[in-house]
């Protein structure tokens, strides 16, 4: 048991006291978070499960060193208190944000400049499933990949949280997108407007890319798979194209012909959101807010919700993602709206 | 023999009529080049041998389809004639340029906007050895690699044409540079101002990078080697660093952990100058002229000359580069200054 003597009020959080299967996700009381002068204290209404959380739970992707290892990379909620130097947020504001951990909890302390306003069209009980995959997909496709109107993207796991975000982003900026997904999830990708949906179990996505792009190849690949996809991703690129590698579900050790990069004057760029320092997280968040939240206001972008779980049942949400059964986001409801 | 009947005047050029060893480099008469409306006709005074020429000679790196396969990627000389729409160059101007072939010859036709002025400090009989490696190194380190004052570069083959250019460029902009070279060539790298010179036969360059950078790693790696260097290049990078791959002397097929890119949020970028379309070559040439030729004017940048050969003896120059005996550029003297 955690000794809370002398720590004041306690809140419930999912604390990793060991690493392993979903059963290690257990609710515990932890001390009320204390806020620094530029931070706000947020009562979390919703959060969501991300692939990185599964790795962290298994001990394969350690979070930053903290007293209590609380996973959770995104959330939405109400501001309960603000630090002395906070200027942009006030008590009662509704906000959402990415964080490098701590969102599987009733409360969190976060730098005020990391918080975004919650757009009108985004209910607070699902807004906690919005920031991580939309910022990840936008940063990968647009900022690092240079996706613009008219250009082509290839995105694997099209029905995943990142995939469903990527399709919406690509279509909302006038770009064209090819996604891979298993047959049972094609309708999700198609309903979001994906130009081409490839069944990776029966079709070669390199062939599908060539066919769709008239032999030219795509401008950017967003890949969470890795493994034997790496070489095929490069083979799918047009001259000057880029693979943005945001995950390695099939592993990172590959045999690879670097000559295929030279021939295309192409690049493979590794990226993660979580590992970035605070100032970089703030910068990407603020640019995303400026460029993309208007599209949530107008109803163009919205998280695709697969299912909802109360915080106490978060292990079930992990099991569902682990079995690749989900299409879209697994929302965790922490408090009533 | 080539039939020149009805073609007007002839010039001498090294024409690849077959692929193979240096003996296939033979002087032949070819028709006087004809110029398009935006082109200038240049009497070549000097050219130089580049690694890509050796590959092309062996049939491993085909040039663009032309009637006569004449290698040669750079030259300097005098303008003999100008096309109808030429506005920036006149007869008698001295110019230098990169080209995608054709510089192993007495004359060449080239787009006027690809030509650069020849700085005062650069004698015309060596200026033909300047453009290719300086533009390659600058484009890789500065444009694509983001090298600036205070940042660190790692450059392999430090005594090569690209290497000696890279050292001078890095030092001239206030950056710091670590190079690898065999022991017999260290004095060349040191005399140019390399901060750290690593003997790759006895030292691990990853260790040398860590030591020099206080464990942080370098911002950019310029690599012409490939092979087992690829993984070690990435291991030498700091967070957000980039490997710029401009050659693959040790081969392109590698085993590689893409996870090492994600961990560092790093990139491997393949690049070549020769394969770029005309407009991109013009753009890189003009930006290079604007930003770097002032440093040739002031005597800070100059090609390092290993040796000189008349055009008739170009096979000997190829043999010297093939045996890795050269430190710096192999100049080919085509005509008197």
């Amino acid at each position: 048991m955690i000794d809370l003597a002398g720590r004041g009020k306690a809140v419930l959080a999912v604390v990793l006291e060991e690493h392993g299967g979903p059963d290690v996700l257990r609710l515990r009381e932890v001390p009320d978070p204390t806020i620094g002068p530029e931070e706000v204290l947020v009562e979390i209404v919703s959060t969501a499960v991300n692939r990185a959380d599964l790795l962290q739970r298994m001990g394969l992707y350690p979070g930053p060193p903290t007293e209590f290892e609380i996973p959770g990379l995104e959330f939405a909620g109400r501001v309960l208190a603000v630090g002395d130097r906070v200027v942009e947020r006030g008590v009662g504001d509704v906000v959402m944000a990415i964080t490098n951990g701590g969102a599987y909890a009733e409360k969190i302390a976060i730098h005020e400049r990391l918080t975004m306003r919650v757009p009108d069209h985004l209910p607070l009980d699902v807004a906690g499933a919005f920031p991580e995959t939309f910022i990840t997909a936008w940063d990968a496709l647009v900022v690092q990949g240079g996706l613009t109107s008219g250009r082509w993207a290839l995105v694997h796991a099209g029905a995943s949280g990142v995939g469903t975000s990527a399709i919406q982003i690509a279509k909302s900026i006038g770009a064209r997108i090819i996604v891979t997904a298993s047959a049972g999830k094609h309708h999700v990708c198609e309903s979001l407007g994906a130009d081409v949906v490839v069944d990776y179990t029966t079709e070669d996505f390199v062939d599908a890319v060539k066919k769709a792009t008239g032999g030219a190849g795509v401008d950017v690949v967003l890949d969470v798979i890795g493994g034997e996809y790496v070489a095929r991703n490069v083979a799918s690129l047009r001259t000057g194209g880029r693979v943005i590698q945001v995950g390695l579900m099939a592993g990172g050790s590959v045999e690879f012909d670097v000559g295929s990069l030279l021939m295309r004057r192409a690049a493979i760029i590794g990226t993660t959101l979580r590992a970035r320092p605070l100032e970089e997280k703030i910068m990407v968040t603020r640019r995303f807010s400026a460029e993309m939240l208007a599209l949530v206001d107008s109803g163009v972008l919205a998280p695709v919700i697969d299912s909802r779980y109360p915080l106490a049942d978060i292990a079930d949400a992990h099991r569902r993602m682990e079995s690749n059964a989900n299409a879209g986001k697994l929302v965790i409801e922490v408090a009533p709206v």
Side-chain angles (χ1 to χ4, degrees), chain A residues 16 19-20 50-63 69 246-249 274 318 322:
Chain A
L16 291 180
H19 294 121
N50 287 282
R51 279 273 163 195
D53 304 349
L54 276 57
L55 296 174
Q56 183 177 355
R57 192 201 72 214
M58 292 185 277
L60 303 175
Y61 188 42
E69 187 180 355
V246 302
L248 290 166
M249 285 173 60
R274 200 186 75 173
H318 272 234
E322 219 149 48

Side-chain angles (χ1 to χ4, degrees), chain A residues 48-220:
Chain A
V49 179
N50 287 282
R51 279 273 163 195
D53 304 349
L54 276 57
L55 296 174
Q56 183 177 355
R57 192 201 72 214
M58 292 185 277
L60 303 175
Y61 188 42
T66 49
E67 188 177 1
F68 302 99
E69 187 180 355
I70 303 170
L73 298 175
E74 59 184 332
F75 65 89
R78 281 180 216 93
V79 175
L80 291 176
V82 300
D84 293 344
R85 295 186 208 142
V86 167
V87 291
E88 296 186 349
R89 301 295 176 207
V91 172
D93 285 358
V94 290
V95 297
M96 59 185 183
I98 57 169
T99 168
N100 53 18
Y104 287 4
E106 292 180 324
K107 294 183 190 171
I108 192 168
I110 187 117
H111 195 285
E112 66 157 334
R113 287 176 66 82
L114 255 184
T115 64
M116 293 183 281
R117 69 181 175 88
V118 178
D120 293 341
H121 277 75
L122 197 55
L124 202 53
D125 62 345
V126 299
F130 178 83
E132 179 72 15
T133 54
F134 273 89
I135 293 179
T136 294
W138 171 80
D139 178 70
L141 290 175
V142 177
V143 178
Q144 301 202 60
L147 190 66
T148 65
S149 58
R151 290 188 177 161
W152 279 98
L154 167 65
V155 176
H156 297 299
S160 68
V162 168
T164 53
S165 305
I167 297 169
Q168 293 178 66
I169 290 167
K171 297 320 297 175
S172 71
I173 66 170
R176 294 173 287 182
I177 184 165
I178 301 160
V179 300
T180 61
S182 55
K185 297 179 181 177
H186 279 208
H187 66 285
V188 174
C189 304
E190 286 157 0
S191 70
L192 294 170
D195 296 277
V196 179
V197 184
V198 180
D199 180 353
Y200 62 84
T201 63
T202 60
E203 295 174 75
D204 179 8
F205 66 77
V206 182
D207 291 341
V209 162
K210 286 197 177 135
K211 192 177 160 201
T213 62
V218 296
D219 299 274
V220 53

Side-chain angles (χ1 to χ4, degrees), chain A residues 242-328:
Chain A
R242 303 172 198 171
V243 177
I244 315 296
Q245 197 77 46
V246 302
L248 290 166
M249 285 173 60
S253 289
V254 299
E255 287 198 37
F256 178 62
D257 179 9
V258 182
S260 64
L261 284 180
L262 261 73
M263 203 171 64
R264 289 178 178 78
R265 295 180 274 137
I268 302 179
I269 302 172
T271 185
T272 67
L273 271 186
R274 200 186 75 173
R276 298 185 199 180
L278 176 65
E279 63 275 15
E280 288 187 40
K281 280 206 185 72
I282 291 173
M283 284 169 66
V284 72
T285 292
R286 294 186 81 88
R287 187 174 157 195
F288 176 85
S289 295
E291 298 183 17
M292 298 307 288
L293 287 192
L295 295 171
V296 189
D297 290 333
S298 57
V300 173
L301 302 182
V304 173
I305 305 304
D306 173 79
S307 47
R308 296 159 178 261
Y309 299 82
L311 184 57
D313 294 343
I314 196 164
D316 291 335
H318 272 234
R319 286 186 194 97
R320 183 165 169 81
M321 181 176 277
E322 219 149 48
S323 68
N324 295 317
N326 64 300

